[in-house]
Coordinates of all heavy atoms in Angstrom, one line a residue:
N1 N 0.9 -1.2 0.0 CA 0.0 0.0 0.0 C 0.9 1.2 0.0 O 1.9 1.3 0.7 CB -0.8 0.1 1.3 CG -2.0 -1.0 1.3 OD1 -2.5 -1.4 0.3 ND2 -2.3 -1.4 2.5
I2 N 0.5 2.2 -0.8 CA 1.1 3.6 -0.6 C 0.0 4.6 -0.4 O -0.7 5.0 -1.3 CB 2.0 4.0 -1.9 CG1 3.1 2.9 -2.1 CG2 2.7 5.3 -1.6 CD1 4.1 3.3 -3.2
G3 N -0.2 4.9 0.8 CA -1.2 5.9 1.2 C -0.7 6.7 2.4 O 0.3 6.4 3.0
N4 N -1.5 7.8 2.7 CA -1.0 8.7 3.7 C -1.2 8.2 5.1 O -0.7 8.8 6.1 CB -1.8 10.1 3.5 CG -0.9 11.2 3.9 OD1 0.3 11.3 3.6 ND2 -1.5 12.1 4.7
N5 N -2.0 7.1 5.3 CA -2.1 6.5 6.6 C -2.9 7.4 7.5 O -2.7 7.4 8.7 CB -0.7 6.1 7.1 CG -0.8 5.2 8.3 OD1 -0.2 5.4 9.3 ND2 -1.6 4.1 8.3
Q6 N -3.7 8.3 6.9 CA -4.4 9.3 7.8 C -5.6 9.8 7.0 O -5.6 10.9 6.3 CB -3.5 10.5 8.1 CG -4.1 11.5 9.1 CD -3.1 12.6 9.5 OE1 -1.9 12.3 9.5 NE2 -3.6 13.7 9.7
P7 N -6.7 9.1 6.9 CA -7.8 9.5 6.1 C -8.5 10.8 6.5 O -8.5 11.1 7.7 CB -8.8 8.3 6.3 CG -8.4 7.6 7.5 CD -7.0 7.8 7.7
E8 N -8.9 11.6 5.5 CA -9.5 12.9 5.8 C -10.9 12.9 5.4 O -11.3 12.3 4.3 CB -8.7 14.0 4.9 CG -7.2 14.0 5.2 CD -6.8 14.8 6.4 OE1 -7.7 15.5 7.0 OE2 -5.6 14.8 6.7
N9 N -11.8 13.5 6.2 CA -13.2 13.7 5.9 C -13.3 14.6 4.6 O -12.6 15.6 4.5 CB -13.9 14.3 7.0 CG -15.4 14.5 6.8 OD1 -15.8 15.4 6.1 ND2 -16.2 13.6 7.3
L10 N -14.1 14.2 3.7 CA -14.3 14.9 2.4 C -14.7 16.3 2.6 O -14.2 17.2 1.9 CB -15.2 14.2 1.5 CG -15.2 14.6 0.0 CD1 -13.8 14.5 -0.6 CD2 -16.2 13.7 -0.8
L11 N -15.6 16.6 3.5 CA -16.0 18.0 3.8 C -14.8 18.8 4.3 O -14.7 20.0 3.8 CB -17.1 18.0 4.8 CG -18.6 18.0 4.3 CD1 -19.5 18.0 5.4 CD2 -18.8 19.1 3.3
E12 N -14.0 18.3 5.2 CA -12.9 19.0 5.7 C -11.8 19.2 4.6 O -11.2 20.3 4.5 CB -12.2 18.3 6.9 CG -13.1 18.3 8.1 CD -12.6 17.4 9.2 OE1 -11.4 17.0 9.1 OE2 -13.4 17.1 10.1
F13 N -11.7 18.2 3.7 CA -10.7 18.3 2.6 C -11.2 19.5 1.7 O -10.3 20.3 1.3 CB -10.8 17.0 1.8 CG -9.9 17.0 0.5 CD1 -8.6 16.7 0.6 CD2 -10.6 17.3 -0.7 CE1 -7.8 16.7 -0.6 CE2 -9.8 17.3 -1.9 CZ -8.5 17.0 -1.8
V14 N -12.4 19.5 1.3 CA -12.9 20.6 0.4 C -12.8 21.9 1.1 O -12.5 22.9 0.4 CB -14.4 20.3 0.0 CG1 -15.0 21.4 -0.8 CG2 -14.5 19.0 -0.8
D15 N -13.0 22.0 2.4 CA -12.9 23.3 3.1 C -11.4 23.8 3.0 O -11.2 25.0 2.7 CB -13.4 23.1 4.5 CG -13.4 24.5 5.3 OD1 -14.0 25.4 4.7 OD2 -12.8 24.6 6.4
T16 N -10.5 22.9 3.2 CA -9.1 23.2 3.1 C -8.7 23.7 1.7 O -8.0 24.6 1.5 CB -8.2 22.1 3.6 OG1 -8.6 21.6 4.9 CG2 -6.7 22.4 3.6
L17 N -9.3 22.9 0.7 CA -9.0 23.3 -0.7 C -9.5 24.7 -1.0 O -8.7 25.5 -1.6 CB -9.7 22.3 -1.6 CG -9.7 22.6 -3.1 CD1 -8.3 22.5 -3.6 CD2 -10.6 21.6 -3.8
Q18 N -10.7 25.1 -0.6 CA -11.2 26.4 -0.9 C -10.4 27.5 -0.2 O -10.1 28.5 -0.7 CB -12.7 26.5 -0.7 CG -13.2 26.4 0.8 CD -13.4 27.7 1.5 OE1 -13.5 28.7 0.8 NE2 -13.6 27.6 2.8
Q19 N -9.9 27.2 1.0 CA -9.0 28.2 1.7 C -7.8 28.4 0.9 O -7.3 29.6 0.8 CB -8.7 27.7 3.1 CG -9.9 27.7 4.1 CD -9.5 26.9 5.4 OE1 -8.3 26.9 5.8 NE2 -10.5 26.4 6.1
E20 N -7.2 27.3 0.4 CA -5.9 27.5 -0.3 C -6.1 28.1 -1.7 O -5.3 28.8 -2.2 CB -5.2 26.1 -0.4 CG -4.7 25.6 0.9 CD -3.8 26.5 1.6 OE1 -3.0 27.2 0.9 OE2 -3.8 26.6 2.8
L21 N -7.3 27.8 -2.3 CA -7.6 28.5 -3.6 C -7.8 30.0 -3.4 O -7.4 30.8 -4.3 CB -8.9 27.9 -4.2 CG -8.8 26.4 -4.7 CD1 -10.1 25.9 -5.1 CD2 -7.8 26.3 -5.8
I22 N -8.4 30.4 -2.3 CA -8.5 31.8 -2.0 C -7.1 32.4 -1.7 O -6.7 33.5 -2.2 CB -9.4 32.0 -0.8 CG1 -10.9 31.7 -1.1 CG2 -9.3 33.5 -0.2 CD1 -11.8 31.7 0.0
R23 N -6.3 31.7 -0.9 CA -4.9 32.2 -0.6 C -4.1 32.4 -1.9 O -3.3 33.3 -2.0 CB -4.3 31.1 0.3 CG -2.8 31.5 0.7 CD -2.2 30.3 1.4 NE -0.8 30.5 1.6 CZ -0.2 30.9 2.7 NH1 -0.9 31.2 3.7 NH2 1.1 31.1 2.7
A24 N -4.3 31.5 -2.9 CA -3.5 31.5 -4.1 C -4.1 32.5 -5.1 O -3.5 32.8 -6.2 CB -3.4 30.1 -4.8
G25 N -5.2 33.1 -4.8 CA -5.8 34.0 -5.7 C -6.6 33.4 -6.8 O -7.0 34.1 -7.8

């Protein structure tokens, strides 16, 4: 297996994504 060994909730993942998209402009 090659995985991060730390599953993330999809809602939290999407929230982090939109924060970084705002940060990047």
Side-chain angles (χ1 to χ4, degrees):
N1 288 331
I2 305 189
N4 212 45
N5 194 228
Q6 188 178 326
E8 304 278 352
N9 181 279
L10 193 54
L11 268 178
E12 292 172 14
F13 174 85
V14 174
D15 186 51
T16 305
L17 173 63
Q18 63 99 13
Q19 290 171 28
E20 292 305 324
L21 292 172
I22 289 170
R23 178 190 172 97

